[in-house]
Each structure stands twice: as structure tokens, then as C-alpha cells.
Amino acid sequence: MATLKQVVSKYPYEDDEIHIDEATGSHSKGLSLKTEAAQVSRELKDVLQDRLAHAGVRVIAFNMTDLSYAPEIAQAMLVRQQAEAMVKARKLIVKGAVDISNDAVSQLESKGVQMSEGEKTKIVTNLLTVICGDQRAQPTLSVS
């Protein structure tokens, strides 16, 4: 158990940081328990072999099949994963909304609709508000 704690404590469960290989320029995430279980298992096997060699024991393999956390840690990790998913979804929605808004202005202009910068801004603002908002659009009528 001490060997397991010693090796596993070196790695985060997930590594969110993007690492850039300066030689190749490739992007990758760092080592973590979630993504590199095989490498962590090899390291565990090697450490165990070093500790047990004097007793004549040969370690053939050490495979991690299940990694469990205390309920409060697991809950915090779940909240973090949900927050990350929400941020990714929002970024996708905003990117789509910006594309839709730009396309709408471009299509109106290509059909000969003349608009001032203020009118373009108003169209884009309204579209972004409707597309990115959590609530359904409520039509309003200006009485001024």
C-alpha cells in the first residue's frame, strides 16, 4: 500500500494543462492517473520490483483496475467536471452565435439592405442576446 501511495501521489487525477513539445511543437496533456494508467502501472511494477528483489520475488505486472476517491473528493471532482463541460458548451454557443450574427449582417447587406453601424450593432446585440440567453426571447415593442 505504501508503494501505491508513493507512486500515485506523484500524479494528478487529471492534468488540464496543455504541454507543448518544443522539439516537435505538438500539444499534449501531461501525465495523469486518468490518461496514463499503463505508464503509472509500469512505474508501480518497477518500484515494487526494486523493493521485493532482495526477497527473491519477481513482479510480473501491476494493473490498476479501479481508482476510488472519498465521497467528498469525488463530489468535488464531479462539480469541477460539470463546470468545465458548461464552460465548453457556452464557448461553443457563443462561437455559433457570433457566426450567425455575422452571417445575418452579411446576408442583409448582400441583399441590398443599407444599415448604419448602429443598426448593425443593434442586430448583432439582439441576436447574441437571444441565442446566448438562457430564457426564451420575449418580443418587445418600442413606443418611442
Side-chain angles (χ1 to χ4, degrees):
M1 193 61 129
T3 302
L4 179 62
K5 286 181 181 179
Q6 173 194 350
V7 173
V8 170
S9 67
K10 291 191 221 175
Y11 301 97
Y13 176 71
E14 282 182 302
D15 188 5
D16 294 331
E17 308 251 338
I18 301 294
H19 303 278
I20 300 172
D21 185 336
E22 293 181 17
T24 64
S26 64
H27 296 74
S28 65
K29 288 192 173 189
L31 294 177
S32 69
L33 297 174
K34 186 175 180 181
T35 60
E36 301 297 329
Q39 184 164 337
V40 174
S41 293
R42 277 193 300 278
E43 186 175 343
L44 280 164
K45 180 184 99 41
D46 293 344
V47 171
L48 276 173
Q49 183 61 58
D50 289 345
R51 287 188 174 185
L52 300 173
H54 71 278
V57 175
R58 181 168 172 242
V59 179
I60 298 170
F62 187 102
N63 298 316
M64 291 193 325
T65 57
D66 187 33
L67 185 59
S68 299
Y69 289 90
E72 59 274 6
I73 302 292
Q75 180 62 31
M77 291 169 70
L78 179 61
V79 168
R80 180 174 162 251
Q81 288 172 345
Q82 289 171 336
E84 287 173 350
M86 179 68 80
V87 168
K88 285 180 184 176
R90 282 287 177 195
K91 284 182 179 181
L92 182 61
I93 290 169
V94 169
K95 182 183 180 325
V98 168
D99 291 344
I100 289 168
S101 300
N102 285 333
D103 289 346
V105 170
S106 296
Q107 287 179 27
L108 287 169
E109 288 177 331
S110 71
K111 293 191 186 275
V113 176
Q114 300 294 320
M115 293 181 285
S116 68
E117 287 301 314
E119 290 170 324
K120 289 178 190 177
T121 300
K122 192 171 186 177
I123 288 172
V124 169
T125 300
N126 288 340
L127 283 171
L128 289 174
T129 301
V130 170
I131 296 168
C132 296
D134 287 337
Q135 304 294 322
R136 292 184 55 173
Q138 296 281 333
T140 59
L141 181 62
S142 177
V143 291
S144 58

